[in-house]
Amino acid sequence: MSNAIEAEQLVKIYKAKRGSQEVRALDGVNLSVPEGTVLGLLGPNGAGKTTTVRILTTLLRPDGGKATVGGFDVVEQSKDVRRIIGLSGQYAAVDENLTGWENLYMFGRLYELPKSETKKRVDELLEQFNLTDAGARTIKTYSGGMRRRLDLAGALIGHPKILFLDEPTTGLDPRSRLAMWDVIRGLVSDGTTLLLTTQYLEEADELADKIAVVDNGTIIAKGTSDELKAQVGGERVEVVLADGSRLAEAATLLEPLSVGEIEREERTRRIVCPSRGGSKKVIAAAQILDDHGIEVEDIALRRPSLDDVFLTLTGRRAEEIDSDDEDGDVA
Amino acid sequence: MSVLESGPVSDALIITWRNLKRIPRIPELAIFAVLQSIMFVLLFAYVFGGAIPLPGGGSYNEFLMPGIFVQTIAFASATTAIGVADDMGKGLIDRFRSLPMARSAVLTGRTVADVIYQAGILVVLMLAGLVVGWRVNNGFAKFMFAVVLLLAFAYVMAWIGVWIGLSVPNTETAQQLTFVTIFPLTFISNVFVPPASLPAVLQPIAEWNPVSTLTASCRELFGNPNPTIGTAFPSQHPIEVTIIWAIVLIAIFAPLAVRKYRNTSR
Ligand SMILES: Nc1ncnc2c1ncn2[C@@H]1O[C@H](COP(=O)(O)OP(=O)(O)OP(=O)(O)O)[C@@H](O)[C@H]1O
Ligand SMILES: [Mg+2]
C-alpha cells in the first residue's frame, strides 16, 4: 500500500523577529501515513503540530527535508497537492460577512467544482453539519462551535482524498464533538486519509489508527494506542481503603497478586498494585481484603490511558487541571 | 462559458463577488467613507473656501469637487489595506492559499471589487457636488474620460492598499500606515488650494504629485477652474503625466503585492 503522506526530516525555522528569538519549530520530523488510514498527531502546546500541518498543506515552505502528499512534492508540485487535500486549520477561517451557504459556495467554486454541483454539495454539507437553518445567516451571528463546524464543512467541500484537521474539535461541546467524530469516522470508512492533530488524547484514541507523539519539533514516539500504552506500563489494580491506618497491612496482603512493586499513597489511602490477568485480580483482591476485615471504599482495574502516555513521554502535564480535584473535598 | 466555470477568471470573479457582498453588510464603511468626504466638502466650501482666492477667478466649489473625488479615491487604499489585513488576520488568506485556485485571483478579485465600490462612492459624491454647485461643462465624452482616469487611479490605489495590507501585522497598522502616507499626498497638492499659494519648497512636489496631476486632469476635462503654477511640464500636460504615473505605480506595486502574497507566512 502506498503512503498518502510522507515526510522526511522536515525542518522549520522561524526567523527571529523584533523581540523574539529564532525558533526551531520542527527539527527533523518523519511521518508516513498509508492511504486510507488516520494518523493522530499528539503533542503539547508549541510542539510543532500546526507547523507540520502547514508545511504538508503547502502553506509553509520547509527549511529542510522533503514531503509528499498524494505522491506530489509539497514544494515543487504544490498546486497538485492543493487539488487533493482539504484543510481545516486550528482557527476557523471563514468570511465573517458572508452567510454559511455563501462561504461554502465560495470554497466549492474555488475548489474548481462546477456551479450546480457546488450548490448541491453545499446543501448536503450544511445538512450534515446541522447548519441548514443557520446557512442563511452571516457568520458574524455564529457561535464558536458553529464556525468550527462550518470551517470543517469547508474542508470537505471538494471530496478531498487527503484531509488535514488541526484540532478539529477544540471548542466544541461534547455533543458536537461526538457528532464530529461520527462525521470523521464516516469519511475514513469512505477511504479518506486523515492527519489529525489534537490535544485530546481520548480523541486520538477514538479516531486514529496510528499516533505520533510530537514534542519540541520531533516525533518522540509512534505506534498504535495500545503500543504506546504498553510503553508506559501495564494494567494495575487500585484500591482505596476506608481506614488509612491499615494501608501497610493491606499492601502486604496484596503482595501475592502483584507483578511489581506495590505503591502506597498515605494521603489518598490508595494502594496501586501492578497486575496481570484483568478483572479476576480485582475480585481476588476484594476477597482477600474482605476476609481480613479491611473495608474497601473503592477498587478498580486501571489500564494506562493515553494521558499517562502523553505525560510520561512529554514529561509535562497535558492539562493544568490539578489532579487532586478528584479527592472531592468540596464542601 | 468554460472560462467562467473554472480557472483564473472564474476564481477572480468569485473573489470579486465575495468582496462586493460584504459592502451592503457593513454599511458603516461606505457611509463613513462618503460622510468623511462630504465633511471635507462642507469644511472647504463653506469654512475655508471663502478665504481661498482662485487666480483667474471661478467658483471655488467647482474647483474643489474634482479634488474631493481624487482625495476620496486616494484614501480608499486604506479600505483595501484594512480589508486585506483583516483577511490575513482571520486566516482567510491561508484558506485561499490552501485551495487549488489561481493565486492571482485573491488580489485581482479584491482590487476589482474595490474599484466597483469606489465607482459607487464616486456617484454619490458627484451628486453631492451637484448640490453645492459643481458642474460638468465640457460634455459627456470628456466627463467619461475623467471618470475612467479616476477609476484607473482607484485601481492603482487598490494595489498599493493590497501591498500595505499584506505587509502589516494587523488592521490597526494598516489604517494608520495608509493615513500617514495619504494625508500628506492630498495636502501637498492642488486639491484644496491653488498650487501657487503653497510654500515655494513644496511647489515642485505638489506639481508632480499624482494626486495633483489627476485633480488637474479632472478639472480640465470637467471644465472646472484649473489654476496652475505656470509652465512646468506636469501643469501643462496633467493627463499624460497622470497616465504615466498610473502605469509606473501599478508596475511597481502589483508585482510587490503579488510577491508578498506568495511569500506570506512562508
Ligand atoms: N509565525 C511564527 N513565528 C515564529 N514562531 C512561530 C510561528 N508559528 C509558530 N511558532 C513557534 O513554533 C513552535 C511550534 O508552533 P506550532 O504552532 O507548530 O505548535 P502547535 O503544536 O501547533 O501548538 P498548539 O498546540 O499550541 O497549537 C512554537 O514554539 C511556536 O512559538
Ligand atoms: Mg497548533
Side-chain angles (χ1 to χ4, degrees), chain A residues 45-46 48-51 90-91 166-167 197 199:
Chain A
N45 290 138
K49 303 182 294 295
T50 298
T51 305
Q90 185 166 0
Y91 305 99
D166 197 356
E167 303 197 15
T197 82
Q199 314 246 7

Side-chain angles (χ1 to χ4, degrees), chain A residues 76-149:
Chain A
E76 303 297 331
Q77 299 163 297
S78 58
K79 182 126 185 191
D80 296 302
V81 171
R82 291 196 290 272
R83 278 209 180 88
I84 54 167
I85 60 166
L87 164 67
S88 171
Q90 185 166 0
Y91 305 99
V94 285
D95 190 331
E96 297 271 304
N97 299 304
L98 296 186
T99 66
W101 194 95
E102 288 165 346
N103 263 292
L104 293 184
Y105 180 77
M106 170 171 76
F107 296 142
R109 297 286 294 121
L110 294 175
Y111 209 94
E112 300 182 333
L113 296 184
K115 282 180 193 163
S116 57
E117 193 187 324
T118 310
K119 287 180 185 161
K120 244 177 56 199
R121 183 86 181 118
V122 170
D123 292 334
E124 209 173 283
L125 282 168
L126 287 176
E127 164 109 43
Q128 191 179 359
F129 284 87
N130 216 350
L131 290 168
T132 305
D133 293 332
R137 295 189 347 229
T138 56
I139 305 301
K140 271 188 217 161
T141 68
Y142 279 32
S143 72
M146 291 165 80
R147 276 167 212 241
R148 190 75 239 191
R149 279 182 280 152

Side-chain angles (χ1 to χ4, degrees), chain A residues 54 58-61 79 82 87 93 95 97-98 102 106-107 109 111-112 114-115 151 154-155, chain B residues 4-5 10 14 17-18 21-22 25-26 90-92 94-101 103 265-266:
Chain A
R54 288 172 61 79
T58 79
L59 295 179
L60 211 58
R61 194 184 279 271
K79 182 126 185 191
R82 291 196 290 272
L87 164 67
D95 190 331
N97 299 304
L98 296 186
E102 288 165 346
M106 170 171 76
F107 296 142
R109 297 286 294 121
Y111 209 94
E112 300 182 333
K115 282 180 193 163
D151 191 78
Chain B
L4 299 182
E5 269 295 320
S10 154
I14 296 281
W17 168 82
R18 169 248 158 171
K21 275 270 172 191
R22 35 180 258 140
R25 296 195 181 150
I26 349 177
K90 297 243 164 75
L92 260 180
D94 270 350
R95 166 138 248 162
F96 290 141
R97 289 174 67 241
S98 80
L99 292 170
M101 62 184 292
R103 291 209 154 176
S265 63
R266 288 216 140 199

Side-chain angles (χ1 to χ4, degrees), chain B residues 11-33:
Chain B
D11 291 346
L13 285 175
I14 296 281
I15 300 289
T16 307
W17 168 82
R18 169 248 158 171
N19 283 314
L20 289 176
K21 275 270 172 191
R22 35 180 258 140
I23 293 168
R25 296 195 181 150
I26 349 177
E28 311 88 85
L29 280 185
I31 291 170
F32 280 119

